[in-house]
Amino acid sequence: MKAPVRVAVTGAAGQVGYSLVFSIAAGDMLGGDQPVILQLLDIPDALPVLEGVAMELEDAAFPLLAGVTLHDSAEAAFDSVHYALLVGAKPRGPGMERGDLLEDNAAIFVAQGQALDAVADRDVRVLVVGNPANTNALIAQRNAPHLAAHQFSAMTRLDHNRALAQLARQTGEGVARIRRLTIWGNHSATLYADLDHAQVGDRAATELVTADWRRATFEPAVQQRGGAVIKARGKSSAGSAARAIVSHMHDWVLGTPPEDWASMSVLSDGSYGIAEGIYYSFPCRCTAGRHEIVQGLEINEASLKRLKATEQELLDERSVVAHLLP
Ligand code: NAX
């Protein structure tokens, strides 16, 4: 048996956390031979709920679960962690603008970036999920000067999976037959779900769907799926979000499948003409915890405009939090 690894989950008393911790303990994220110690963080008021979650984890009797610790301090929760899943954030309240949310949540990611810098394992991998995820990832990374930028990423895998599901439904194929689909940009309504390079089996997706379906049905469905789930369920996506977190981390740590890639928000290095210094969703291939942005894809003019629009939103978000970026 391998030695256990330490996985921190923030916001673990919340609804995404509730689905996520059971899936990690079952081995879905890091493999069926990798024991884990869960280090769960939430705010002090949520500690009683967190204790209930820990009781249920115990009752589930997972063979791979080597320990659970509960915390209301980031320094304690991140101590020696190999993986940190930053899910906890404040939801948008009544009358709050996106900018207010950005400011409020930014403070959380300054503190958590500093805590990771101080106490996490030096080879930690950090996934930011709490919204606005891309800009929060930038804030956390810039406040962790002793860790490398490639150790941080933000989640656009739920958007990727939503796009997969829409295309599978439209073509009547299983999701396992679809490869090379890409989410570009921000985890927000400006994201661009790109089918130009996607394949369904050995055929180009663009041969199987019409341009009209892409524009009028597919793209809005992916962009607005989060809102549709809230409308139906009265709560935002949780089970599908947890599944996306597990898939993102699995592929990052254990590798993307051959002939495919994953959509991951990573620090832009200028690829595809996107400004450096923002966490932007690109097609990425991963091996053993290292990602590489897929190079050389042909981007037509219409797509380029979409890449640029979502880039602009991220640049605007960055300027709102510029004072928090050392
Ligand atoms: P919940 O409100 O159910 O849970 C959030 C939890 O975070 C609560 O238990 C809260 O007490 C805790 N929290 C707040 N401040 C904290 C802090 N400083 N330290 C530790 N914990 C703290 O929200 P939930 O539905 O679980 O969503 C969590 C976050 O994920 C939200 O920001 C949400 O917008 C974001 N999402 C992002 C997604 C993505 O694709 N990037 C998809 C799923 C999700 O909507």
Side-chain angles (χ1 to χ4, degrees):
M1 204 51 143
K2 293 178 177 172
V5 293
R6 296 177 180 275
V7 182
V9 177
T10 77
Q15 51 150 6
V16 172
Y18 187 73
S19 293
L20 177 61
V21 292
F22 293 93
S23 194
I24 299 170
D28 299 342
M29 185 170 99
L30 297 170
D33 60 347
Q34 179 58 68
V36 292
I37 297 170
L38 287 171
Q39 302 187 181
L40 308 182
L41 173 71
D42 212 296
I43 57 175
D45 282 354
L47 282 185
V49 175
L50 213 47
E51 276 168 27
V53 174
M55 286 161 71
E56 283 205 69
L57 279 167
E58 188 179 8
D59 296 347
F62 288 110
L64 291 172
L65 189 57
V68 180
T69 60
L70 309 183
H71 308 276
D72 61 6
S73 125
E75 282 72 15
F78 295 157
D79 188 15
S80 306
V81 288
H82 303 96
Y83 305 100
L85 312 179
L86 309 189
V87 180
K90 285 187 204 161
R92 200 195 297 203
M96 266 174 92
E97 296 300 326
R98 197 175 159 88
D100 300 332
L101 184 74
L102 200 58
E103 285 275 2
D104 261 21
N105 279 333
I108 296 175
F109 291 88
V110 169
Q112 293 187 354
Q114 291 169 347
L116 286 164
D117 198 49
V119 301
D121 184 88
R122 293 303 82 187
D123 203 29
V124 65
R125 292 293 180 276
V126 183
L127 171 62
V128 178
V129 177
N131 278 319
N134 296 56
T135 297
N136 288 339
L138 178 66
I139 295 167
Q141 180 259 318
R142 291 279 285 270
N143 283 279
H146 299 97
L147 301 175
H150 77 82
Q151 293 175 255
F152 290 76
S153 64
M155 190 167 87
T156 29
R157 184 61 174 256
L158 179 54
D159 309 294
H160 181 106
N161 287 349
R162 286 168 173 164
L164 270 181
Q166 294 293 325
L167 183 60
R169 183 177 348 167
Q170 180 68 11
T171 56
E173 295 277 359
V175 286
R177 300 253 302 152
I178 302 176
R179 288 173 294 135
R180 301 187 176 199
L181 189 150
T182 307
I183 302 294
W184 299 93
N186 199 2
H187 169 65
S188 80
T190 66
L191 66 81
Y192 176 44
D194 181 4
L195 295 185
D196 276 346
H197 315 283
Q199 286 184 299
V200 182
D202 52 11
R203 295 190 63 188
T206 48
E207 289 173 17
L208 300 172
V209 298
T210 63
D212 189 48
W213 177 79
R214 281 179 69 172
R215 198 191 62 254
T217 305
F218 170 74
E219 291 181 12
V222 176
Q223 288 168 335
Q224 293 157 22
R225 187 69 167 183
V229 169
I230 293 176
K231 203 165 160 218
R233 223 171 72 86
K235 291 179 184 171
S236 56
S237 306
S240 56
R243 161 88 182 144
I245 293 169
V246 162
S247 302
H248 176 113
M249 293 304 297
H250 178 278
D251 287 358
W252 194 7
V253 176
L254 299 174
T256 40
E259 305 302 312
D260 201 0
W261 58 62
S263 301
M264 292 173 68
S265 292
V266 297
L267 191 68
S268 170
D269 60 358
S271 293
Y272 298 97
I274 299 303
E276 292 181 27
I278 50 177
Y279 275 77
Y280 187 99
S281 184
F282 288 102
C284 292
R285 289 208 174 92
C286 305
T287 325
R290 293 299 292 246
H291 73 266
E292 270 182 25
I293 298 172
V294 174
Q295 298 296 327
L297 299 178
E298 220 171 281
I299 309 292
N300 64 32
E301 212 159 297
S303 292
L304 194 58
K305 273 196 190 140
R306 309 290 297 279
L307 264 63
K308 285 294 183 187
T310 186
E311 172 197 43
Q312 188 56 51
E313 185 181 43
L314 284 167
L315 292 171
D316 292 346
E317 287 186 12
R318 185 177 69 180
S319 61
V320 174
V321 299
H323 58 293
L324 300 172
L325 304 175

